[in-house]
Amino acid sequence: MSEKTIISEHGFRFKRLSQLFWALEATFFSLLLAQLVTGDYILAGIIFALCIILCAIFFIVRKTSMDRAATLIFIMLALIISTLMWTYGGLRDETMLGVPVLLLFSGMLGNTRLFIGLSIYFLFTVLAIATSNHLGWRINELPQGDLLSATIIIILLVVITYSIWLLAEDLKRVLVRLNIENERARESQQRIEQLVYHDALTNLPNRILARERFKLAVSLNKRESTFVCLMFLDLDDFKAINDSMGHQSGDVFLQETARRIQAICRESDTVCRQGGDEFLIVLGGIKSEQSIATVAEKILQAVKRPVTIDGSVVFSTVSIGIAVASNDDFDATSRDADMAMYHAKERGRDNYAFFDNAMHKRSEESQRLQFDLRTAVEEKHFELYFQAKTELGSNRVIGAEALIRWNHPTRGLVQPLDFIPAAEHSGVIVDISDWVVKEACRQCARWQSLGHGPLSVAVNISPVQFKRGKLLELVDGALSKNGLAPSTLELEITESILMEDSAEINKIFSDLNRVGVELSIDDFGTGYSNLGYLKKFDVSVLKIDGSFVSKILSSPHDKAIVKAIIQMASSLNLKTIAEGVETIEIAEELRKMGCDMGQGYLWSRPLTAENFYHFLIEQR
């Protein structure tokens, strides 16, 4: 029990004890007047003395202990009532009317022991009086129905009525408090259910409630010969809104998106927020896929409408995965819809896709591939191949590009295009890239120690690895361990990394340039090719994509592109290397254009480390 409750209960008992005291004082005063009127001065004196004693008990004892004061008052009253019963009318005495009142107040204001003690006391008193009258030890005279008796009865009835009124008030008070507590309990239960079954931000049902609604919808639609589907919605690039405008604006955008989706769906449908930027819709009563597609199209159009937040206009799109329920397995249907949603994202986002079994098969293959990749990292199933980089002016091998291959236990040699995307998606690419950098530096140091130097080695760096933030530590450790100069290592990056243009990316570029590691842009010309990035980021080499290089003798358009890249690089003091060089004629034309280096089958295919070593010996 809280301290506040104890204080409130103490105040209530004090109030009732005070009311009892004044009621008794009024009763005694009335009896005193009645005795004075009838001329019974002795009894009047006794009553007056009782009034004084009662006042003393109440005003003195209550200062120390309310329980003690109540106990003394009730004991004194019990003794008075029993004495009057013995002295006057016995069991028919008017004071018998005070017994239930006294017991009532002792139960309300006293403790349990007092109430039980007084009850037993009065039971024995009644039994003793009855036995005494029956055996003739003492015969109580029947009270006379005179004016005095009527006065006493009236006074006692008034006290009893007052006591019943107090009891009724207390019962009302208890009932009111119970109603208030019940209302609070109901409100608390509603709040708990709201928190358990609804999303706090959008007030939409959450996944728990969506699961229940889904199962109910499936059971209802079985009887109506219709079907149920789940729509899995994921906002495209919502992170950009949070990062640029802050999470508060992001929350406003989510709330507006929730309202738009709800406005499209029927009242019988369930729109829920799973968390983050993901929503789930349970659609029931569906008769055709076309009706589902119509709803999906409306959602796509509604979400892409601009939203104004604090004066700024924000845009976003949504990708939707749709799965038709074959049974009431919510988790399985949700997984299928999720899978379809990722398929919609792969198709360019701002789109929807229906789940089919082919997606499930691709998902299983992807999961199996990711598992095999992790195993390959642990059991060292990867191998580096090296392709020569040749200086076009002297036809001298000046370095090599390290190309990873995967020696799969059952599938054989796996090319990078078949596993790099899965490695980047799963994050395994970080461990793979770490191994590639270390292994490439180790091989380069080995060749130099055997007299084939100075050679450089180029390594492709994944955007995931580049943005992880520990690239400088990795590079510095690999170079130091193998005793290589920083200029020996060249890191090849894609133009997509330059597009990030963040403070973190800028710092990584600055740190790598500071230690002397060369940076090159791979497949230049196939991406954004923003000249501003070339100026801002201190890169050293542009690698011209082989799709242009292979056609410079047959396509004036491709030849013009290659020539423009070479001339631009020269004006910016950048070196150029042409990929995919397969003939002497192409190599000669590149040399005439001013290209610095070439790489391709004209000089060598990608070779194992051992075969590349023998290739270097032959080139001597």
Side-chain angles (χ1 to χ4, degrees):
M1 187 180 294
S2 65
E3 183 179 353
K4 183 177 180 181
T5 303
I6 294 173
I7 293 174
S8 176
E9 184 66 24
H10 185 275
F12 166 74
R13 292 180 62 202
F14 175 73
K15 178 180 178 182
R16 286 291 178 261
L17 190 62
S18 299
Q19 290 171 335
L20 176 61
F21 165 74
W22 291 113
L24 291 174
E25 287 294 318
T27 302
F28 287 147
F29 182 73
S30 300
L31 291 174
L32 177 62
L33 291 178
Q35 299 304 321
L36 291 174
V37 170
T38 59
D40 192 346
Y41 298 110
I42 296 175
L43 185 58
I46 295 173
I47 294 173
F48 180 75
L50 290 174
C51 289
I52 298 300
I53 294 171
L54 183 63
C55 288
I57 292 173
F58 183 72
F59 285 105
I60 296 175
V61 181
R62 77 182 180 89
K63 297 293 184 180
T64 57
S65 172
M66 184 173 296
D67 285 337
R68 190 179 302 170
T71 300
L72 288 174
I73 289 175
F74 289 128
I75 290 175
M76 185 190 76
L77 291 175
L79 292 173
I80 293 172
I81 291 174
S82 61
T83 301
L84 291 173
M85 288 171 62
W86 273 104
T87 304
Y88 295 101
L91 298 181
R92 294 180 179 86
D93 194 82
E94 298 90 344
T95 54
M96 274 290 293
L97 295 173
V99 174
V101 179
L102 184 62
L103 292 175
L104 178 64
F105 272 96
S106 67
M108 291 170 55
L109 305 177
N111 52 44
T112 304
R113 288 183 299 176
L114 175 63
F115 176 75
I116 294 174
L118 290 179
S119 300
I120 295 173
Y121 174 77
F122 280 117
L123 288 175
F124 276 103
T125 298
V126 171
L127 182 61
I129 292 174
T131 303
S132 176
N133 280 268
H134 179 73
L135 296 177
W137 296 342
R138 177 180 175 78
I139 304 298
N140 293 103
E141 296 180 1
L142 292 175
Q144 300 296 319
D146 54 12
L147 184 61
L148 178 61
S149 297
T151 303
I152 295 172
I153 292 173
I154 290 172
I155 292 171
L156 291 175
L157 285 176
V158 170
V159 174
I160 293 171
T161 303
Y162 179 66
S163 301
I164 293 174
W165 177 78
L166 289 178
L167 178 61
E169 288 296 312
D170 291 340
L171 287 175
K172 289 179 183 178
R173 178 172 172 267
V174 170
L175 289 175
V176 170
R177 289 180 61 182
L178 283 175
N179 287 333
I180 293 173
E181 291 299 324
N182 287 336
E183 186 63 28
R184 288 176 179 172
R186 282 194 294 270
E187 291 176 357
S188 298
Q189 182 67 25
Q190 291 173 356
R191 284 196 296 270
I192 291 171
E193 290 180 357
Q194 180 73 15
L195 292 173
V196 171
Y197 293 108
H198 290 79
D199 171 60
L201 177 64
T202 62
N203 204 34
L204 291 176
N206 59 15
R207 186 179 178 88
I208 298 174
L209 186 54
R211 181 192 300 275
E212 295 181 3
R213 299 273 181 86
F214 173 81
K215 291 181 179 293
L216 178 61
V218 171
S219 64
L220 291 175
N221 283 265
K222 281 182 180 178
R223 295 196 293 267
E224 299 173 1
S225 299
T226 55
F227 55 89
V228 178
C229 81
L230 280 182
M231 282 187 174
F232 198 109
L233 287 69
D234 185 87
L235 295 177
D236 302 322
D237 292 328
F238 175 71
K239 183 177 182 296
I241 298 176
N242 267 342
D243 292 344
S244 60
M245 301 187 65
H247 289 279
Q248 186 173 357
S249 296
D251 289 346
V252 173
F253 185 84
L254 287 174
Q255 291 169 338
E256 175 61 25
T257 301
R259 283 192 288 268
R260 293 182 181 184
I261 296 172
Q262 274 188 305
I264 293 169
C265 296
R266 302 165 298 181
E267 290 186 3
S268 58
D269 301 327
T270 299
V271 180
C272 89
R273 180 181 176 229
Q274 289 217 119
D277 58 353
E278 294 178 346
F279 296 86
L280 196 65
I281 304 176
V282 180
L283 294 178
I286 304 298
K287 297 182 178 179
S288 67
E289 287 191 356
Q290 182 56 46
S291 59
I292 303 175
T294 301
V295 175
E297 287 286 356
K298 290 180 179 179
I299 293 174
L300 292 175
Q301 297 303 318
V303 172
K304 71 170 58 175
R305 294 201 310 268
V307 179
T308 302
I309 303 175
D310 295 333
S312 300
V313 179
V314 182
F315 297 88
S316 184
T317 56
V318 66
S319 297
I320 306 174
I322 304 168
V324 177
S326 57
N327 51 46
D328 65 352
D329 190 338
F330 175 80
D331 291 328
T333 309
S334 179
R335 281 196 303 270
D336 293 344
D338 188 20
M339 204 177 301
M341 182 273 295
Y342 279 108
H343 185 70
K345 284 188 179 290
E346 292 171 359
R347 285 163 48 181
R349 303 185 177 189
D350 189 24
N351 204 347
Y352 66 90
F354 284 88
F355 172 80
D356 57 40
N357 290 327
M359 292 182 190
H360 192 267
K361 185 177 180 181
R362 286 195 298 271
S363 176
E364 288 183 342
E365 291 176 351
S366 176
Q367 291 178 358
R368 191 180 304 112
L369 181 61
Q370 292 179 24
F371 176 79
D372 289 348
L373 281 170
R374 295 187 186 279
T375 303
V377 172
E378 295 172 358
E379 299 182 3
K380 297 180 172 56
H381 290 164
F382 293 109
E383 182 180 6
L384 285 187
Y385 278 56
F386 298 88
Q387 187 174 31
K389 295 194 300 181
T390 304
E391 190 176 59
L392 293 178
S394 62
N395 204 37
R396 179 173 59 90
V397 176
I398 58 173
E401 179 182 1
L403 303 169
I404 191 170
R405 299 291 185 267
W406 180 13
N407 292 314
H408 195 279
T410 58
R411 298 169 59 182
L413 196 64
V414 183
Q415 298 296 320
L417 288 177
D418 296 328
F419 68 85
I420 290 298
E424 289 182 330
H425 179 74
S426 63
V428 182
I429 191 65
V430 174
D431 295 328
I432 294 175
S433 295
D434 285 356
W435 177 82
V436 170
V437 171
K438 294 174 183 177
E439 180 64 14
C441 289
R442 189 185 70 82
Q443 289 291 349
C444 187
R446 175 174 172 267
W447 296 328
Q448 289 188 10
S449 67
L450 295 174
H452 299 284
L455 287 175
S456 65
V457 62
V459 175
N460 288 280
I461 296 297
S462 164
V464 177
Q465 171 76 6
F466 198 88
K467 290 183 285 187
R468 188 180 67 158
K470 296 183 179 180
L471 185 58
L472 179 63
E473 180 182 337
L474 169 66
V475 168
D476 190 53
L479 293 172
S480 300
K481 182 178 180 179
N482 294 282
L484 295 176
S487 58
T488 304
L489 182 62
E490 178 184 324
L491 301 181
E492 296 185 5
I493 60 175
T494 60
E495 292 180 76
S496 62
I497 295 178
L498 302 181
M499 292 296 294
E500 294 283 339
D501 193 19
S502 66
E504 182 181 356
I505 298 297
N506 291 341
K507 184 177 186 306
I508 295 173
F509 268 94
S510 299
D511 291 341
L512 292 172
N513 285 320
R514 177 170 45 80
V515 299
V517 174
E518 288 196 339
L519 297 171
S520 64
I521 299 179
D522 197 13
D523 301 328
F524 187 79
T526 60
Y528 302 97
S529 304
N530 190 316
L531 301 184
Y533 292 131
L534 297 180
K535 180 180 179 182
K536 183 174 183 178
F537 300 103
D538 192 8
V539 297
S540 304
V541 181
L542 298 183
K543 296 194 73 173
I544 307 172
D545 188 70
S547 62
F548 301 128
V549 174
S550 62
K551 299 176 184 177
I552 61 173
L553 298 181
S554 58
S555 171
H557 180 73
D558 287 319
K559 181 178 180 179
I561 291 176
V562 173
K563 188 173 183 178
I565 293 174
I566 293 172
Q567 290 176 346
M568 177 199 64
S570 177
S571 64
L572 294 174
N573 294 321
L574 302 178
K575 298 177 184 178
T576 52
I577 178 170
E579 296 180 298
V581 180
E582 298 184 359
T583 66
I584 296 176
E585 291 77 13
I586 291 177
E588 181 61 22
E589 186 64 26
L590 289 168
R591 186 187 63 78
K592 291 179 181 179
M593 290 182 183
C595 185
D596 299 295
M597 295 166 284
Q599 179 181 336
Y601 286 2
L602 174 62
W603 295 283
S604 79
R605 291 175 176 273
L607 304 171
T608 63
E610 191 62 29
N611 288 338
F612 189 78
Y613 169 67
H614 293 299
F615 168 77
L616 291 176
I617 294 176
E618 292 174 0
Q619 292 301 306
R620 282 187 172 181

